[in-house]
């Protein structure tokens, strides 16, 4: 099973650990990732400016994958939604397709529409399968309470991105559960992380983020868990800035799903980049157990 | 005389140019922070930095980078084998020619006391090196003009580089070829170097050279007697052999010689070898004199950029040195276009016609701007737009063969532009996310300024909306606007709205404020309503539009199937297009 991977633009500088942890986990599961060098941005940040620019950017990647007969997989919700939206528009609107193809033809590309857009979570769920995953789990989390943040763009708009019952992503829950972590219900779960307005209206962005982290913490979560590059940067890097700007000391660290799964697959925490998180997440390994009872040491900074 | 005068003129221009160029590294500034640092401060910081680095273990890093990246060109190798071959051929061939041939008096003769340019292996090597350069130039022309790589731009400077090198090489080969056949050159040589003195010997030697060395004599023509040739060979062995290998070794020039030999006598009479000789040297001198001002300057600035970037970083290095490095990096760029080919938003150039989207062109514009060579408001705005259309993805920095830290360059330059008071409405898009991630490097006032300017621009363009006391200007009822939206793929559902306000109740942005209309201007359902009525101005200046998260909560909640979020996106696109068209 090979996929062309769309890595989100924020990862090379601000979230290297998403790349390394995804690579490590998928290697362990025998899923091949093809990095197409010519890939560009999915176009998500351009949506505000020019829809066509967004579609053009997405379409180019889809064409590049199509040429190699690969489906595109992404670990970022925003890339996922963008690529699917572009695919949808190209399929639905002949004039957009003609226009885009005219531009892509200059570099010998043509959009046919055979490439599918897949999310990492959904590949793990459908293609690898929960049973197969369970077999590979060598260590389980004990007593670890996780607030799963689905992220808007695997939930909505549902005609485009839904891979589960409307309004939820049980797939994500089930995947977290196989690591042994306990999922807690929380009220603000379905809301946006705040990332889309970071840089435009930071106060608003911080309000939204804080609302979520506070709610999750009050609901008993030890960590947030996300499967989107933007969400993680928001909950990790931006939350850290938020804590210092708003003079708060209690945040709620967030862990990437690939890091969580990677730990339970027995992958070395260095490869997963656990120590690269801005808000210390190293304490999470204390919840891991083979047999012995878990040590409750959330928030401790000992590695 | 002519030769040395032009050499000295060229040399002096080169040296002065070099000083002038290097001085700009300390005088020009990139980025708002650099302006506060004085030239003298930067100069001292640089000297101190260099000394400290050389005396520290970092010297090992420098050595490694020098061997792998400067000499072996590792970065280009990883990027593309074809380009690596091209660069190695040109740079390797040219350097070797420079050392062995141009500096023969200083280098080759010192190392090999028996050196003569017409003797093997030097004779053969010179041709070989020349051929290397020509092959490299050929690949370059092929890549830039035949392969037709999209978004690989050529400019006058790229053409100049190829042309001047080609003139030097071709004139060299032609010169050598016409000298092979030249009777005048032959005679001068015999006069200067041999002790042949009788008529018969002259004839024998000349016959031998006509037969074996390709000289075309006006008086002698083969076939010659074996006896004469044998006598000629003896004379040749006594007088010439120590300095002359067979010209066939210079295989290109020998081919030239063969081709021109029917015309050799007239060429020789017309003084063509002398003309070619002048051309060859003049081209070299022009190349030399113009080097500091041309992109060839990367020969010096490129390695410096690679070395500097290997040991410097944003957090720990002296800001004075970073300021200097960033100006130097502008000179290091070879305009190779790698960054543009790998740019995450490069393809956008097909949609938004602004070459400054492409990092290689952006850099060239920034360079002109830094040297104060861009005055037009329009051009400045275009550069600024290009600077904002960037996702900070790091691709360009990763692939740049001269190691320019383009990331930091874009960040600093963008700040210079957007803080100098040209409003950039792209600041109201998600592209600002990346700027936000580095906000701790700016003080809050500078950080907020471009955002305020952008909102202000929206407010001004679409009617003022500042406080509660001014009566709200409803903007123009605009029907073309509605038509636009109806034809846009996303917008056409607004007419289904029956103003139930469900969308507003579902909106996390609206819910964040006690009094949403006051904080946001309009709420989501009001925006849909205003769309149906045709009040774009009112919408475009509302804060709600620009703080919409694109979270689709409203759209999912709407009982009427109004695609609220999609409509908001379409509205943002329209507002931005209108502002960009106007300004
Ligand atoms: S950082 Fe900006 S300019 Fe550089 S490759 Fe990425 S999008 Fe292009
Ligand atoms: S910035 Fe670097 S990669 Fe881009 S054109 Fe210049 S030298 Fe080439
Ligand atoms: S998409 Fe925008 S308007 Fe709709 S709910 Fe989200 S933030 Fe509010
Ligand atoms: S939820 Fe739908 S119908 Fe109700 S106000 Fe919003 S757009 Fe109109």
């Amino acid at each position: 099973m090979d996929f062309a991977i769309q890595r989100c633009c924020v990862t090379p500088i601000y979230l290297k650990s998403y790349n390394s942890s995804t690579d490590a986990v998928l290697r362990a599961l025998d899923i091949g990732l093809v990095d197409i060098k010519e890939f560009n941005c999915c176009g998500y940040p351009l949506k505000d400016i020019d829809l066509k620019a967004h579609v053009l950017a997405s379409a180019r990647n889809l064409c590049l994958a199509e040429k190699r007969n690969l489906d595109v997989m992404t670990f970022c919700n925003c890339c996922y939604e963008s690529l699917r939206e572009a695919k949808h528009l190209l399929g639905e609107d002949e004039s957009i397709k003609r226009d885009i193809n005219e531009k892509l033809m200059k570099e010998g590309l043509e959009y046919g529409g055979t490439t599918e857009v897949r999310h990492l979570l959904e590949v793990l769920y459908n293609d690898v399968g929960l049973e197969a995953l369970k077999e590979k789990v060598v260590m389980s989390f004990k007593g670890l309470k996780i607030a799963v943040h689905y992220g808007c763009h695997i939930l909505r708009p549902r005609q485009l991105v839904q891979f589960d019952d409307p309004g939820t992503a049980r797939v994500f829950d089930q995947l977290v559960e196989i690591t042994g972590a306990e999922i807690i219900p929380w009220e603000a779960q379905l809301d946006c992380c705040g990332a889309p307005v970071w840089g435009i209206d930071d106060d608003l962005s911080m309000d939204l983020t804080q609302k979520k982290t506070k709610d999750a913490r009050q609901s008993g979560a030890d960590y947030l868990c996300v499967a989107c590059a933007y969400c993680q940067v928001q909950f990790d890097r931006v939350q850290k800035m938020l804590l210092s700007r708003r003079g708060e000391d209690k945040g709620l660290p967030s862990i990437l799903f690939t890091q969580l799964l990677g730990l339970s697959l027995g992958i070395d925490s260095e490869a997963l980049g656990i120590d690269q998180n801005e808000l210390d997440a190293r304490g999470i390994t204390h919840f891991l157990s083979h047999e012995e009872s878990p040590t409750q040491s959330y928030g401790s900074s000992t590695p | 005389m002519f030769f040395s005068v032009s050499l000295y003129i060229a040399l002096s221009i080169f040296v002065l140019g070099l000083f002038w160029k290097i001085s700009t590294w300390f005088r020009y500034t990139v980025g708002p922070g650099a302006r506060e640092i004085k030239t003298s401060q930067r100069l001292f910081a640089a000297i101190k930095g260099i000394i400290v680095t050389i005396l520290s273990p970092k010297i090992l890093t420098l050595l490694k980078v020098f061997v792998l990246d400067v000499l072996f060109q590792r970065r280009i190798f990883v990027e593309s084998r074809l380009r690596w071959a091209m660069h190695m051929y040109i740079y390797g061939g040219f350097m070797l020619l420079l050392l062995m041939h141009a500096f023969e008096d200083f280098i080759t003769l010192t190392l090999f006391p028996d050196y003569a340019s017409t003797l093997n292996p030097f004779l053969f090597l010179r041709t070989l090196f020349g051929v290397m350069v020509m092959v490299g130039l050929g690949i370059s022309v092929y890549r830039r003009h035949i392969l037709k790589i999209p978004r690989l731009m050529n400019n006058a400077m790229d053409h100049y580089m190829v042309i001047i090198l080609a003139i030097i090489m071709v004139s060299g080969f032609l010169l050598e070829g016409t000298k092979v056949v030249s009777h005048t050159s032959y005679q001068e040589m015999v006069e200067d170097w041999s002790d042949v003195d009788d008529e018969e010997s002259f004839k024998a030697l000349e016959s031998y050279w006509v037969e074996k060395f390709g000289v075309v004599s006006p008086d002698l023509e083969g076939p010659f007697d074996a006896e004469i040739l044998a006598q000629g060979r003896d004379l040749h062995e006594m007088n010439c052999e120590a300095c002359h290998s067979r010209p066939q070794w210079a295989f290109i020039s020998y081919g030239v010689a063969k081709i021109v030999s029917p015309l050799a006598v007239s060429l020789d009479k017309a003084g063509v070898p002398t003309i070619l000789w002048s051309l060859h040297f003049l081209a070299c001198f022009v190349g030399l004199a113009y080097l500091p001002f041309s992109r060839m300057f990367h020969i010096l600035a490129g390695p410096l950029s690679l070395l500097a970037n290997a040991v410097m970083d944003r957090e720990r290095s002296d800001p004075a040195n970073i300021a200097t490095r960033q100006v130097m990096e502008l000179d290091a760029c070879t305009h190779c276009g790698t960054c543009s080919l790998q740019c995450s938003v490069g393809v956008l150039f097909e949609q938004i016609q602004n070459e400054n989207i492409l990092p290689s062109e952006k850099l060239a514009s920034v360079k002109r701007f830094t040297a104060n060579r861009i005055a037009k408001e329009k051009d400045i705005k275009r550069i600024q737009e290009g600077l904002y259309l960037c996702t900070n993805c790091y691709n360009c920095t990763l692939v740049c063969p001269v190691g320019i830290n383009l990331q930091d360059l874009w960040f600093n330059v963008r700040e210079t532009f957007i803080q100098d008071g040209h409003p950039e409405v792209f600041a109201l898009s998600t592209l600002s996310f990346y700027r936000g991630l580095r906000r701790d490097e700016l003080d809050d006032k500078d950080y907020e300024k471009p955002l305020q300017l952008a909102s202000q621009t929206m407010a001004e363009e679409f009617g003022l909306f500042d406080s509660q006391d001014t009566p709200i200007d409803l903007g123009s009822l605009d029907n073309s606007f509605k038509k636009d939206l109806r034809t846009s793929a996303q917008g056409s559902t607004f007419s289904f709205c029956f103003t139930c306000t469900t969308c507003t109740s579902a909106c996390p942005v609206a819910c964040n404020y006690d009094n949403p209309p006051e904080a946001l201007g309009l709420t989501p359902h009001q925006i849909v309503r205003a769309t149906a009525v045709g009040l774009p101005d009112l919408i475009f200046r509302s804060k709600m539009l620009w703080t919409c998260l694109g979270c689709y909560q409203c759209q999912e909640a709407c009982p009427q199937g109004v695609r609220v979020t999609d409509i908001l996106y379409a509205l943002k696109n329209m507002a931005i297009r209108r502002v960009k068209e106007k300004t």
Side-chain angles (χ1 to χ4, degrees):
Chain A
M1 228 182 319
D2 280 1
F3 292 95
I5 181 154
Q6 166 86 51
R7 299 182 191 268
C8 171
C9 288
V10 300
T11 59
I13 304 185
Y14 297 110
L15 201 56
K16 293 194 190 81
S17 56
Y18 209 178
N19 284 324
S20 64
S21 59
T22 303
D23 292 348
V25 164
L26 295 189
R27 204 177 308 119
L29 299 174
D30 284 331
I31 295 184
L33 292 181
V34 180
D35 268 296
I36 298 182
K37 213 172 80 180
E38 294 91 342
F39 259 20
N40 46 241
C41 168
C42 69
Y44 167 70
L46 308 167
K47 237 175 116 171
D48 290 331
I49 291 170
D50 187 345
L51 175 80
K52 273 228 184 105
H54 150 225
V55 177
L56 176 66
S58 275
R60 184 166 174 272
N61 289 358
L62 292 174
C63 289
L64 288 164
E66 190 174 313
K67 230 169 130 178
R68 293 163 177 80
N69 263 322
L70 291 170
D71 284 345
V72 176
M73 178 170 84
T74 171
F75 49 47
C76 171
N77 292 7
C78 300
C79 297
Y80 182 65
E81 198 269 339
S82 290
L83 289 163
R84 287 185 80 95
E85 185 175 1
K87 188 173 157 68
H88 173 76
L89 284 168
L90 289 163
E92 179 184 64
D93 189 331
E94 207 36 57
S95 77
I96 290 196
K97 185 171 155 185
R98 212 173 321 115
D99 185 31
I100 299 280
N101 265 339
E102 216 168 89
K103 287 171 177 137
L104 292 175
M105 219 71 99
K106 289 189 203 161
E107 45 187 312
L109 294 173
E110 191 180 356
Y111 179 77
T114 54
T115 292
E116 291 302 326
V117 180
R118 311 282 306 273
H119 193 286
L120 169 74
L121 291 175
E122 176 240 344
V123 167
L124 291 177
Y125 188 84
N126 292 322
D127 298 30
V128 181
L130 288 182
E131 288 313 311
L133 273 173
K134 268 183 207 150
E135 271 166 34
K136 301 238 174 180
V137 166
V138 294
M139 282 191 272
S140 272
F141 290 101
K142 290 269 147 47
L144 172 66
K145 296 203 180 65
I146 290 284
V148 177
H149 167 76
Y150 301 138
C152 298
H153 294 144
I154 58 168
L155 301 173
R156 301 177 292 263
R158 78 187 113 169
Q159 315 87 299
L160 288 183
V161 297
Q162 176 184 317
F163 48 75
D164 212 323
D165 295 334
T168 176
R170 277 288 301 153
V171 164
F172 197 170
D173 294 344
Q174 283 168 277
L175 285 166
V176 170
E177 272 160 357
I178 61 167
T179 67
E182 183 191 330
I183 293 194
I184 57 121
W186 52 306
E187 211 174 303
Q189 184 172 32
L190 302 179
D191 288 346
C192 173
C193 62
V197 289
W198 181 253
I200 303 173
D201 186 338
D202 292 357
D203 284 326
L204 172 63
S205 180
M206 289 192 278
D207 286 350
L208 297 169
T209 307
Q210 211 171 8
K211 236 179 245 172
K212 292 205 61 146
T213 51
K214 271 197 178 145
D215 177 47
R217 215 186 43 232
Q218 277 158 12
S219 309
D222 299 319
Y223 288 88
L224 284 160
C225 180
V226 307
C228 166
Y230 271 90
C231 297
Q232 177 67 3
V233 171
Q234 184 74 9
F235 284 134
D236 191 35
R237 196 170 285 264
V238 174
Q239 192 188 170
K240 188 175 178 187
M241 288 159 94
L242 177 162
L243 294 175
S244 81
R245 280 180 185 270
R246 297 201 162 168
E248 309 246 350
D249 51 357
K250 270 218 213 110
L252 183 64
S254 173
I255 187 143
L256 288 160
F257 175 66
T258 44
Q259 294 179 319
L260 189 80
L261 180 64
L263 286 173
S264 67
L265 295 178
I267 297 170
D268 172 47
S269 71
E270 206 170 308
L272 300 169
I274 308 271
D275 55 352
Q276 290 168 23
N277 287 24
E278 293 283 313
L279 293 182
D280 201 339
R282 290 174 297 184
I284 201 164
T285 52
H286 296 201
F287 291 96
L288 273 177
S289 70
H290 295 273
E291 250 80 49
E292 71 270 37
S293 69
T295 25
Q296 290 285 347
S297 58
Y298 149 66
S300 102
S301 56
T302 45
Chain B
M1 178 65 186
F2 169 63
F3 175 81
S4 32
V5 169
S6 40
L7 173 63
Y8 286 122
I9 292 177
L11 254 181
S12 9
I13 299 177
F14 169 76
V15 172
L16 289 175
L18 204 62
F19 274 109
W20 183 76
K21 264 295 187 179
I22 292 175
S23 79
T24 65
W25 297 350
F26 298 95
R27 291 187 290 121
Y28 290 171
T29 56
V30 168
R35 287 182 200 152
E36 272 103 67
I37 310 171
K38 284 203 295 282
T39 298
S40 55
Q41 237 172 313
R42 281 163 66 175
L43 196 60
F44 286 124
I47 296 170
K48 188 175 143 217
I50 292 170
I51 295 174
V52 169
T53 311
I54 289 177
L55 296 178
S56 76
K58 281 190 187 156
I59 185 79
L60 295 174
T61 317
L62 288 180
L63 277 175
K64 189 174 133 212
V65 167
F66 185 76
V67 173
L68 287 176
D69 290 327
V70 176
L71 294 182
F72 180 71
Q73 303 285 331
R74 173 176 55 173
R75 282 160 168 261
I76 310 183
F77 186 79
V78 174
E79 195 47 41
S80 144
R81 300 293 141 87
L82 181 71
R83 273 197 43 218
W84 183 78
M86 174 196 94
H87 196 262
M88 280 315 238
Y89 277 136
I90 298 183
Y91 137 99
F94 194 82
M95 277 302 169
L96 290 166
L97 274 180
L98 195 70
L99 299 178
M100 184 191 86
H101 171 57
F103 294 155
E104 57 187 9
D105 290 349
F106 313 104
I107 297 177
T108 333
L109 259 178
T110 324
L111 294 175
F112 308 96
D114 293 338
Y115 168 82
S117 63
T118 45
L119 192 68
N120 267 337
F122 311 106
L123 177 66
F124 171 72
L125 286 177
R126 187 169 58 186
T127 299
L128 184 72
F129 300 156
V131 168
M132 281 167 64
V133 178
M134 289 305 282
V135 170
L137 290 176
I139 300 178
S140 154
V141 171
Y142 167 73
R143 202 176 82 91
R144 286 193 176 260
H145 298 285
I146 299 171
L147 266 187
K148 290 264 176 273
I149 303 171
R151 300 184 288 284
L152 180 63
M153 306 270 183
N154 296 309
N155 59 22
M157 198 52 94
D158 302 326
H159 295 143
Y160 161 79
M161 293 218 295
V162 172
I163 291 170
I164 193 84
L165 276 175
I167 294 180
I168 294 174
M169 292 301 133
V170 172
S171 62
F173 283 129
L174 292 179
L175 169 61
E176 202 179 22
T178 49
K179 269 179 93 174
V180 168
V181 292
S182 162
H183 190 246
T184 316
S185 302
Y186 167 77
Q187 276 179 321
E188 278 168 7
M189 188 178 65
V190 173
E191 268 163 37
D192 290 352
W193 299 98
S194 75
D195 50 13
V196 179
D197 50 9
D198 61 305
E199 199 54 36
E200 197 191 332
S201 310
F202 271 128
K203 220 171 139 189
L205 184 60
E206 192 168 321
S207 307
Y208 183 78
W209 270 65
V210 170
E211 180 75 20
K212 300 283 183 194
F213 282 75
V215 174
V216 178
S217 155
D219 323 307
L220 296 171
E221 211 175 322
F224 300 100
D225 275 0
E227 211 176 298
I228 293 202
L229 288 179
Q231 191 192 351
R233 194 185 63 222
D234 290 343
L235 287 164
H236 169 78
E237 279 166 5
M238 279 188 296
N239 292 288
C240 321
E241 199 171 38
C243 295
H244 280 274
S245 302
R246 295 280 296 275
Q248 280 87 337
W249 286 104
F251 49 94
I252 298 287
S253 313
Y254 190 69
V256 171
K258 282 286 134 198
I259 293 169
V260 302
S261 67
L263 302 168
V265 178
S266 13
L267 288 180
D268 198 22
K269 276 214 185 95
V272 169
T274 323
I275 297 172
L276 286 169
W277 180 82
S278 316
L279 181 67
H280 188 61
F281 282 108
L282 281 179
C284 291
F285 294 162
V286 168
L288 177 70
Y290 196 53
L291 189 139
F293 311 96
S294 74
R295 202 155 291 124
M296 287 275 217
F297 194 48
H298 80 259
I299 297 175
L300 185 74
L304 286 178
S305 159
L306 280 165
L307 294 171
N309 276 299
V311 291
M312 284 172 78
D313 66 49
R314 184 156 44 87
E315 271 111 48
R316 265 163 298 169
S317 301
D318 187 337
N321 283 336
I322 292 194
T324 307
R325 189 197 74 204
Q326 291 201 313
V327 183
M328 182 185 78
E329 286 173 333
L330 299 175
D331 282 332
C333 173
T334 65
H335 199 245
C336 67
T338 316
C339 50
S340 295
L341 299 182
Q342 297 295 322
C343 173
S344 277
V345 298
V347 69
L348 221 68
F349 178 65
E350 311 294 341
Q351 176 70 21
I352 302 173
Q353 290 294 318
N354 182 347
E355 67 286 350
N356 294 306
I357 291 170
L358 304 171
S360 59
E361 309 314 301
K362 188 151 45 194
L363 187 134
S365 297
V366 167
K367 183 169 170 176
R368 265 179 287 131
F369 175 81
T370 308
N372 273 325
R373 283 194 285 126
I374 291 187
K376 280 203 217 110
E377 190 84 348
K378 195 177 103 245
D379 294 336
I380 290 180
K381 282 188 179 150
R382 279 173 70 81
I383 302 176
Q384 175 175 296
E385 182 177 283
L387 282 163
Y388 224 92
L389 287 169
C390 161
T391 65
N392 270 295
C393 70
Y394 202 51
N395 272 4
C396 48
T397 301
L398 274 179
V399 299
C400 175
V402 287
I404 301 177
N405 189 331
L406 292 157
Q407 229 55 56
D408 285 351
L409 192 65
W410 304 148
F411 180 77
N412 280 342
V413 181
R414 189 167 51 215
E415 289 309 313
T416 312
F417 276 77
I418 58 182
Q419 286 180 22
D420 277 355
H422 304 287
E424 179 52 69
V425 287
F426 286 171
L428 298 173
S429 77
T430 319
L431 287 169
S432 288
F433 185 71
Y434 314 98
R435 181 168 180 262
L437 293 179
R438 289 179 76 164
R439 74 169 291 177
D440 284 347
E441 291 168 45
L442 304 166
D443 56 70
D444 285 352
K445 226 174 80 231
D446 293 341
Y447 176 72
E448 295 292 347
K449 195 175 155 199
L451 295 167
Q452 280 159 1
L453 268 175
S455 314
Q456 228 173 335
T457 305
M458 282 294 167
E460 277 161 18
E461 287 300 324
F462 302 111
L464 267 171
F465 176 61
D466 38 19
S467 77
Q468 296 303 79
D469 346 313
T470 36
I472 293 175
D473 163 20
L474 282 185
S476 50
L477 279 176
D478 189 339
N479 281 313
S480 70
F481 151 79
K482 260 205 289 185
K483 222 186 304 137
D484 272 6
L485 209 62
R486 241 184 249 284
T487 48
S488 87
Q490 319 123 300
S492 55
T493 51
F494 61 84
S495 51
F496 308 153
C497 171
F498 56 19
T499 326
C500 68
T501 74
T502 309
C503 50
T504 299
S505 320
C507 173
V509 173
C511 293
N512 191 50
Y513 301 101
D514 296 332
N515 182 351
E518 186 195 36
L520 298 166
L522 297 177
T523 53
H525 78 276
Q526 288 173 327
I527 291 185
V528 178
R529 199 66 214 125
T531 308
V533 185
L535 294 170
D537 289 14
L538 203 59
I539 300 171
F540 293 164
R541 68 190 182 216
S542 77
K543 193 175 156 197
M544 180 67 235
L545 186 65
W546 304 106
T547 50
C548 168
L549 303 155
C551 72
Y552 290 94
Q553 297 261 45
C554 48
Q555 184 160 320
E556 293 294 294
C558 174
Q560 280 296 91
V562 178
R563 289 162 67 176
V564 187
T565 311
D566 288 340
I567 292 174
L568 262 65
Y569 271 121
L571 290 166
K572 285 193 217 187
N573 284 190
M574 280 168 75
I576 285 183
R577 199 165 51 239
R578 288 193 186 191
V579 174
K580 286 280 172 187
E581 270 162 17
K582 273 200 210 166
T583 51

